[in-house]
Amino acid sequence: MQDNETLPRYQQGFTGQFIGGQWREGSAASLLQDHDPYTGQLLTEIRQASLGDLDAAYAAAAQAQQAWAAVLPSERAALFLRAATIMDQRHAEIVDWLIRESGSTRIKAEIEWAAVKSGMLAATAMPARVHGRILPIDIAGRESRVYRRPLGVVGVISPWNWPMHLSNRSIAPALAVGNAVVVKPADDTPVTGGLLLAKIYEEAGLPPGLLNVVIGAVSEIGDAFTLHPTPKFISFTGSTRVGRHIGALAMTGPTIKRVGLELGGNAPCVVLDDAELERAVDGAILGRFLHQGQICMSSNRIIVDASLYSRFVDAFVEKAKALKCGNPHDPDTLIGPLINQRQLDAAQGRLEAARNAGQRQVLTGQAQGLVLPPQVFVDVANDSPLAQAEQFAPIAPLIKAADEAEALRLANQTEFGLSSCVFTRDETRGVRFAQGVEAGMTHVNAISPCDDPNNMFGGEKNSGIGRFNSDWIVAEMTMEHWVSIQSPQSRQH
């Protein structure tokens, strides 16, 4: 392992764990190598966490949390203003890390930087939104109160696709309402998913122990992270398969825990017969290919009314052909590298299976390194494996619908229900269609990927349980306690 002082500036400080306010090596025997998916460059090596390190992180969080919960709301709010200022001051450095580590194009990295900053600013309002209620009760002389308070310690398991945002989307609200946090970022993004946020919050003045980052092998600390007795809530963003496992651990372990599971998606992008063609094509292109399609809300299926289908296909293919692929640092690149070889192999396996099944491919291209150019299939059956699989790659299945009724049926023909979108010139029609979609979110005349800190985020069916953002995440990250008081002068019941 290199001495920290000899590392390039962007690597310094990111070689271990952040536990109890201390930057330190993990005590496991294994090293995690963190590579740039585009160049293959080794960014940093991290000595991984052991079970002892996990215990230390949860102990530090539990010890720090009670004092933090007693801090005045305005003081907690001020922390996030300072953190947002640091986001501005370190803008270029943060964007560079997102490009280097997660394979983000510059376009996507800028979006993610803005999302993280917006989340911090939204968190400034959350300390003042933790409020209880006084309720009527049908007993003479008794008063009924519901108090709301932080849960205690929150465990966060975050993914590699939007690592900084999807970690902070749980970290910032949890801290804002008085909890402490232990986060386990994905192996592919230990810095942007955890250590970089720890550095920003440390610089903003967050007291030691309130945010801890443990980077360790799933085989060593994976299940223990959820089964540990300290956390009261586990926030997980990732695949449905892993989410089911985490949910089972939370329910069947020694202590039942609350969970927030933001899982897979198969978002339909529906184009009705009265849609503005160019707008719909642009929306489908961006919704499908942004960040190489590695977004749970990505427009995974593009369902087009038969009356527009032929013209839509021609325009979509022409735009897809023109997309710039390659170096994610270039400002006009839309498609950069997939995160790792495993993801590329899986995508190519799905492509081969689709071709072998007779699916008609009208746009193809060979991968260069981990960069896979757009792949477009037409006349895809909605019940085919190609349409039903969450792609997480720049693969676009185009599906023809006879009419609006069939488009809605096809849109709902999936085990998932995260995001969706519909394009139409008629707002009333669009809202009516949206209300028929079995999903947590539907956007009319806008792309399916959308996450705003002031609006509810969450899915239905196998896309998970729980809600993020605004008052919804305040409710998730706190508990309610009913206290009733009987007047001494009144007869008790």
Side-chain angles (χ1 to χ4, degrees):
M1 198 170 172
Q2 289 176 280
D3 181 78
N4 194 43
E5 297 304 318
T6 68
L7 292 169
R9 178 174 174 271
Y10 64 82
Q11 293 175 257
Q12 290 178 16
F14 298 134
T15 58
Q17 318 290 319
F18 185 66
I19 298 173
Q22 300 295 315
W23 296 91
R24 68 192 220 192
E25 280 198 349
S27 53
S30 56
L31 282 176
L32 176 66
Q33 292 193 329
D34 186 17
H35 291 92
D36 180 328
Y38 182 69
T39 66
Q41 177 191 8
L42 178 65
L43 298 175
T44 189
E45 286 184 330
I46 296 172
R47 179 73 64 184
Q48 298 208 88
S50 66
L51 287 173
D53 295 321
L54 181 64
D55 284 339
Y58 276 132
Q63 183 176 358
Q65 186 270 329
Q66 290 189 358
W68 177 244
V71 167
L72 295 175
S74 59
E75 293 178 28
R76 274 188 264 133
L79 168 83
F80 295 100
L81 286 176
R82 295 193 296 270
T85 299
I86 293 165
M87 289 291 294
D88 284 327
Q89 294 168 344
R90 300 192 177 279
H91 184 164
E93 181 182 350
I94 293 165
V95 166
D96 187 61
W97 259 112
L98 288 166
I99 295 170
R100 287 177 179 272
E101 188 181 49
S102 70
S104 299
T105 61
R106 187 165 294 279
I107 294 168
K108 181 266 188 181
E110 290 286 357
I111 294 171
E112 185 164 4
W113 173 88
V116 175
K117 181 184 173 185
S118 294
M120 290 172 173
L121 291 174
T124 63
M126 290 182 182
R129 293 161 89 165
V130 181
H131 48 75
R133 302 172 69 187
I134 297 178
L135 299 170
I137 186 168
D138 203 20
I139 301 173
R142 184 172 292 190
E143 183 178 77
S144 176
R145 304 175 186 174
V146 176
Y147 290 87
R148 186 177 290 278
R149 64 172 186 262
L151 294 171
V153 176
V154 171
V156 177
I157 305 171
S158 61
W160 48 260
N161 59 331
W162 289 69
M164 195 174 187
H165 168 55
L166 294 179
S167 290
N168 192 64
R169 189 175 66 177
S170 293
I171 291 169
L175 293 173
V177 301
N179 296 297
V181 178
V182 178
V183 59
K184 182 187 183 303
D187 290 349
D188 289 294
T189 51
V191 175
T192 49
L195 297 174
L196 185 56
L197 281 164
K199 181 162 280 193
I200 290 168
Y201 281 117
E202 180 188 42
E203 189 174 341
L206 183 69
L210 290 172
L211 176 58
N212 305 270
V213 181
V214 289
I215 297 155
V218 170
S219 59
E220 182 149 0
I221 69 168
D223 286 0
F225 190 92
T226 298
L227 291 172
H228 198 282
T230 297
K232 302 297 190 294
F233 183 97
I234 300 294
S235 174
F236 170 78
T237 303
S239 72
T240 298
R241 178 184 62 83
V242 177
R244 285 182 186 275
H245 178 67
I246 288 170
L249 292 176
M251 291 298 105
T252 60
T255 305
I256 293 177
K257 304 179 190 304
R258 299 187 188 189
V259 291
L261 304 176
E262 200 262 277
L263 309 177
N266 189 0
C269 170
V270 177
V271 181
L272 298 180
D273 58 4
D274 66 341
E276 183 183 337
L277 185 64
E278 184 175 1
R279 183 177 187 177
V281 170
D282 287 344
I285 287 284
L286 186 60
R288 175 73 293 248
F289 296 122
L290 178 65
H291 195 38
Q292 299 74 266
Q294 298 175 126
I295 307 173
C296 56
M297 299 172 286
S298 183
S299 295
N300 207 58
R301 293 170 297 144
I302 300 165
I303 301 168
V304 184
D305 188 276
S307 64
L308 285 180
Y309 186 77
S310 178
R311 287 189 294 145
F312 183 94
V313 167
D314 290 344
F316 185 90
V317 171
E318 284 305 306
K319 281 193 177 287
K321 279 181 184 177
L323 296 177
K324 182 174 178 179
C325 307
N327 190 341
H329 288 273
D330 293 344
D332 55 346
T333 296
L334 186 70
I335 296 180
L338 295 177
I339 188 67
N340 55 40
Q341 187 65 44
R342 184 175 65 255
Q343 289 294 122
L344 176 62
D345 291 345
Q348 290 180 323
R350 291 193 297 275
L351 289 170
E352 183 178 1
R355 295 184 197 112
N356 291 341
Q359 301 284 3
R360 185 158 74 94
Q361 188 167 9
V362 294
L363 183 63
T364 186
Q366 296 299 310
Q368 302 295 321
L370 295 179
V371 179
L372 181 67
Q375 313 283 314
V376 180
F377 291 81
V378 298
D379 304 333
V380 175
N382 192 66
D383 59 356
S384 67
L386 181 65
Q388 290 300 309
E390 184 181 25
Q391 294 298 335
F392 251 62
I395 301 171
L398 272 57
I399 300 166
K400 185 190 297 185
D403 52 24
E404 179 180 338
E406 186 180 36
L408 182 60
R409 180 181 65 80
L410 295 175
N412 289 332
Q413 191 183 65
T414 171
E415 66 176 294
F416 299 106
L418 186 57
S419 192
S420 53
C421 64
V422 57
F423 286 86
T424 173
R425 295 176 192 265
D426 185 335
E427 178 182 325
T428 301
R429 184 186 188 192
V431 172
R432 183 179 65 244
F433 188 94
Q435 290 176 324
V437 178
E438 296 167 358
M441 303 170 286
T442 304
H443 306 291
V444 180
N445 292 325
I447 63 175
S448 56
C450 186
D451 188 357
D452 180 275
N454 298 306
N455 287 279
M456 185 279 292
F457 184 102
E460 297 296 330
K461 300 195 282 192
N462 285 345
S463 288
I465 57 174
R467 295 292 184 259
F468 288 90
N469 300 337
S470 192
D471 289 335
W472 291 271
I473 195 66
V474 170
E476 297 274 3
M477 296 289 189
T478 55
M479 64 170 289
E480 291 176 310
H481 186 182
W482 180 33
V483 176
S484 73
I485 309 102
Q486 184 72 43
S487 168
Q489 289 78 29
S490 300
R491 183 168 56 88
Q492 295 190 24
H493 292 271

